[in-house]
């Protein structure tokens, strides 16, 4: 359903409260938490949050292509590519040609990368524990369900937007 030719009155526009919108509230929370992670991993590890996310996911996946890492991290390919080269320069990941397809590069965490992960995961778990402690068990379970429902609906909305009209 297109909203292209619909409009609201000036009075309705003035009553509009974006801070009550789910998209607004989730976006604000996402930005706040991203700044918390960025500050922490930057100060403690000398990494950007994007580099940290890539390193954590790469460790979990094992040797992987940038496409696999992009899907798992929910970063776009250019962000994965940039972070991969930065982490390679720092000696935290290695790039090797995929023997099955010589056009693809396989990324893997190095020993130095694993050592940094072992150090950094302490801060990650502390952030998780602090945030988790603010919610009861029931609230945490409800939060997980709400995130899943909203994520599913957002994916459905994206798919609808991709369909030819």
């Amino acid at each position: 359903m297109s909203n292209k030719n619909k409009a609201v009155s000036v009075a309705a526009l003035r009553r509009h409260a974006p801070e009550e919108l789910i998209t607004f509230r989730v976006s604000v929370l996402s930005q706040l938490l991203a700044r918390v992670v960025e500050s922490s991993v930057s100060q403690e590890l000398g990494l950007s949050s994007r580099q940290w996310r890539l390193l954590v996911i790469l460790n979990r996946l094992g040797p992987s292509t940038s496409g696999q890492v992009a899907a798992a991290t929910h970063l776009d390919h250019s962000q994965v590519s940039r972070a991969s080269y930065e982490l390679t320069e720092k000696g935290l990941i290695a790039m090797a040609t995929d023997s099955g397809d010589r056009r693809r590069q396989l990324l893997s965490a190095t020993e130095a990368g694993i050592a940094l992960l072992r150090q950094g995961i302490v801060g990650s778990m502390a952030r998780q524990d602090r945030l988790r402690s603010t919610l009861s068990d029931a609230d945490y379970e409800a939060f997980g369900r709400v995130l899943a429902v909203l994520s599913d609906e957002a994916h459905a909305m994206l798919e609808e937007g991709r369909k030819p009209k």
Side-chain angles (χ1 to χ4, degrees):
M1 182 168 106
S2 174
N3 296 319
K4 194 173 185 176
N5 296 322
K6 297 178 183 178
V8 298
S9 68
V10 171
L13 182 59
R14 286 199 180 109
R15 288 190 306 271
H16 179 67
E19 63 277 358
E20 294 176 9
L21 298 174
I22 290 171
T23 52
F24 185 91
R25 295 173 75 184
V26 170
S27 179
V28 168
L29 176 59
S30 176
Q31 290 172 359
L32 281 169
L33 292 175
R35 288 198 306 257
V36 167
V37 172
E38 186 74 37
S39 174
S40 178
V41 298
S42 174
Q43 290 174 8
E44 295 172 17
L45 306 173
L47 298 177
S48 69
S49 60
R50 184 180 66 240
Q51 292 167 340
W52 172 248
R53 187 185 322 182
L54 190 147
L55 191 58
V56 168
I57 291 295
L58 189 56
N59 179 65
R60 183 166 180 123
L61 294 176
S64 305
T65 65
S66 61
Q68 292 167 321
V69 173
T73 58
H74 300 278
L75 296 170
D76 63 47
H77 288 280
S78 65
Q79 291 173 309
V80 169
S81 178
R82 191 174 320 118
S84 295
Y85 283 106
E86 293 164 353
L87 290 169
T88 300
E89 288 176 2
K90 291 176 181 275
L92 301 176
I93 69 168
M95 289 187 200
T97 302
D98 183 349
S99 60
D101 182 348
R102 299 190 59 75
R103 296 169 294 176
R104 290 192 311 192
Q105 293 285 315
L106 283 179
L107 309 174
S108 59
T110 63
E111 286 186 30
I114 300 296
L116 193 67
L117 278 166
R118 292 182 67 208
Q119 177 187 343
I121 206 71
V122 174
S124 182
M125 295 310 299
R127 288 187 299 278
Q128 169 65 13
D129 290 346
R130 182 169 175 181
L131 291 167
R132 173 63 181 88
S133 73
T134 66
L135 301 172
S136 68
D137 289 345
D139 285 345
Y140 188 68
E141 288 176 25
F143 177 66
R145 286 192 306 273
V146 167
L147 286 177
V149 167
L150 291 176
S151 294
D152 289 347
E153 190 60 23
H155 283 293
M157 292 167 80
L158 283 173
E159 286 303 313
E160 290 169 12
R162 290 185 182 120
K163 292 180 183 174
K165 296 189 172 82

